[in-house]
Amino acid sequence: MDFDSTTFPLRPAWTEIDLGKLRRNLQLIRRDLPQAVRLLAVVKDEAYGHGALDVARIALEEGAWGFGLSTLEEAMNLREAGITAPLLLLGERQEAELPWCVEHNLTVCVNEPHTVRKLARTAAATNKRVPVHLKIHTGMSRYGARWDEALPLVEQILTEKSLQLEGVMTHFAQSDETDKTFANLQFSRFTEVLRALEQRKISVNLRHTCNSGGFLDLPHAHLDMVRVGILLYGVFPSSVCRRIPGIEPVMSVKARIAAIQKLKPGEVVGYGMRYAAPAERRIAVLPIGYGDGFPRVRNQGGALIHGKRAPLVGGIAMDALMVDITDIPEAQMWDEAVIMGRQGNGEISVHDMAKLKNSVSYDVLTNWRLRLRRKSVNGKSAPAKIEIETAATK
């Protein structure tokens, strides 16, 4: 069944991805970076819910060097769609994945000796020399070789003729908060490793440490490349990190009014009867619920209808939520409601949604489920380029 057919009646609830805003965000980020610093666009988890292929195509047009992903499946989806740019697989790889990585020219992060040995043998068997990026653990205690124990792994990589040490990297545990003490400690540990490599005359093309927070607030740590994820999608990683004017959210979540109920005083709404009308009320039902990723709350949050905020009433169902439209008399059946995003002068931000969910913006973006179809807009024509400043013109 071709669900994209113009004749198929699509569900009246969707996520909307504004590719024009994505392009603009990429241009602003590129302008903010010195020209010599490369941009790795992080598109794991289907580009934080925005659609990896659309994001990848526009990112390449706007000067991205390559892409950061988490799983082999994510990388293969891009390769099969024709993306030939470097794909850096973050994290650790199972041995069974390594032949796929070599065959499809995927760049592997290496963290420990066993993977280095197996990857080298796999590459040698196909007469290839494959690039690897060595992950240095500088304090986050996740992936990587400890900063004070990394040199033997470097030496091991260099002895393998089928491997090329293209990159050395680390990851900040807390780069987007006001206190940069630990981030700077991590960077100092990383530079210890870099100095040791220089002393041994070991050259590495790509030294990279910065996520979105590091890109914004730690310019001294930009080095050769930055790995930007959530900022591409118009969401700043914290409330205190530096702002780039013009960056805008790319994703909205929308639905259409599927029913309108008129309540008399004392009548209740939804499972558990968590809301009773204090007076006559007019209630709109939106066909979206916790089964789509909306937080399972009661009498909290709301939606924008005709640019006005309609408060949520009652409890969230799997496929429906109810909002009070008593003060929006112009609201009618099948009018558009914004669950997350902007409408008129109103906005419900991803951070507002994160508060409802008692979580973070990353969680909100990546947890809108795929049954909530993704609709891309403004992707046909590119806006005018903004001037890209070089290091010489800054």
Side-chain angles (χ1 to χ4, degrees):
M1 174 66 70
D2 180 10
F3 293 111
D4 293 324
S5 168
T6 55
T7 63
F8 188 84
L10 296 172
R11 180 186 175 200
W14 66 98
T15 58
E16 190 166 286
I17 309 301
D18 191 323
L19 298 179
K21 290 180 179 178
L22 172 69
R23 187 183 297 276
R24 176 73 174 180
N25 292 346
L26 279 154
Q27 291 178 358
L28 290 167
I29 289 166
R30 259 305 347 155
R31 185 181 70 174
D32 199 76
L33 276 172
Q35 194 171 38
V37 178
R38 298 183 185 186
L39 173 64
L40 183 84
V42 181
V43 295
K44 62 183 180 177
D45 202 349
E46 268 283 311
Y48 294 47
H50 291 69
L53 184 56
D54 280 345
V55 171
R57 286 171 172 162
I58 290 176
L60 286 175
E61 291 172 4
E62 298 303 331
W65 173 80
F67 302 100
L69 306 114
S70 181
T71 72
L72 179 63
E73 292 90 341
E74 291 171 343
M76 289 305 303
N77 284 336
L78 290 186
R79 281 287 185 257
E80 290 178 356
I83 301 297
T84 60
L87 303 181
L88 178 61
L89 281 172
L90 306 167
E92 184 57 82
R93 305 270 66 83
Q94 302 176 81
E95 187 174 326
E97 296 178 76
L98 300 179
W100 290 79
C101 295
V102 172
E103 180 181 355
H104 296 282
N105 301 317
L106 308 180
T107 305
V108 176
C109 285
V110 293
N111 303 280
E112 50 84 40
H114 178 77
T115 302
V116 171
R117 286 194 299 271
K118 293 296 183 179
L119 181 61
R121 290 176 188 173
T122 303
T126 60
N127 295 315
K128 283 188 174 183
R129 189 164 188 252
V130 301
V132 297
H133 288 222
L134 173 62
K135 178 70 174 289
I136 306 295
H137 147 42
T138 56
M140 190 168 172
S141 304
R142 194 169 63 176
Y143 294 110
R146 277 181 63 95
W147 72 96
D148 52 359
E149 299 174 357
L151 287 180
L153 191 53
V154 172
E155 297 291 350
Q156 181 186 350
I157 294 169
L158 294 175
T159 61
E160 300 287 358
K161 294 181 180 180
S162 58
L163 301 183
Q164 175 200 357
L165 182 60
E166 179 184 63
V168 179
M169 61 182 288
T170 195
H171 192 69
F172 291 123
Q174 191 179 48
S175 60
D176 54 8
E177 297 299 329
T178 303
D179 186 351
K180 298 292 193 289
T181 303
F182 193 71
N184 285 322
L185 173 61
Q186 285 189 265
F187 187 65
S188 69
R189 289 170 173 172
F190 187 71
T191 54
E192 285 177 26
V193 177
L194 298 182
R195 281 195 296 269
L197 297 181
E198 289 174 3
Q199 290 170 1
R200 289 162 174 77
K201 301 188 184 315
I202 298 170
S203 176
V204 181
N205 290 335
L206 295 173
R207 306 160 301 161
H208 50 112
T209 68
C210 286
N211 50 12
S212 291
F215 156 64
L216 290 167
D217 286 357
L218 298 169
H220 60 283
H222 285 175
L223 301 178
D224 304 307
M225 184 165 73
V226 295
R227 306 183 302 270
V228 179
I230 200 165
L231 189 65
L232 298 177
Y233 312 111
V235 179
F236 288 89
S238 79
S239 61
V240 297
C241 62
R242 179 173 68 93
R243 269 25 188 186
I244 298 176
I247 294 280
E248 292 186 89
V250 174
M251 180 191 290
S252 300
V253 180
K254 299 182 177 182
R256 295 190 181 279
I257 297 174
I260 295 176
Q261 301 290 348
K262 294 180 180 179
L263 271 60
K264 295 181 179 179
E267 292 185 335
V268 299
V269 174
Y271 288 123
M273 302 181 293
R274 299 289 179 167
Y275 174 85
E280 290 188 353
R281 313 304 293 171
R282 190 165 174 255
I283 304 299
V285 181
L286 305 180
I288 181 173
Y290 67 76
D292 301 295
F294 195 96
R296 195 169 186 271
V297 295
R298 300 182 180 100
N299 300 316
Q300 298 177 69
L304 298 173
I305 299 173
H306 289 278
K308 301 174 185 176
R309 189 178 182 90
L312 190 149
V313 294
I316 302 297
M318 184 181 293
D319 312 300
L321 60 82
M322 286 67 75
V323 294
D324 188 338
I325 57 171
T326 307
D327 295 331
I328 313 174
E330 63 270 37
Q332 300 296 329
M333 286 284 292
W334 307 116
D335 282 353
E336 184 177 280
V338 172
I339 312 297
M340 185 181 83
R342 294 185 178 128
Q343 190 186 68
N345 294 323
E347 179 179 13
I348 298 173
S349 73
V350 65
H351 300 295
D352 295 329
M353 297 297 300
K355 289 177 183 175
L356 281 181
K357 202 171 184 180
N358 194 27
S359 188
V360 294
S361 54
Y362 301 79
D363 180 31
V364 172
L365 292 177
T366 58
N367 276 284
W368 295 110
R369 292 184 59 194
L370 287 181
R371 75 168 190 165
L372 200 61
R373 65 183 172 92
R374 186 184 295 136
K375 176 184 176 183
S376 296
V377 299
N378 298 328
K380 297 295 184 183
S381 59
K385 288 274 188 180
I386 58 176
E387 181 183 355
I388 303 297
E389 296 178 341
T390 66
T393 61
K394 280 194 173 184

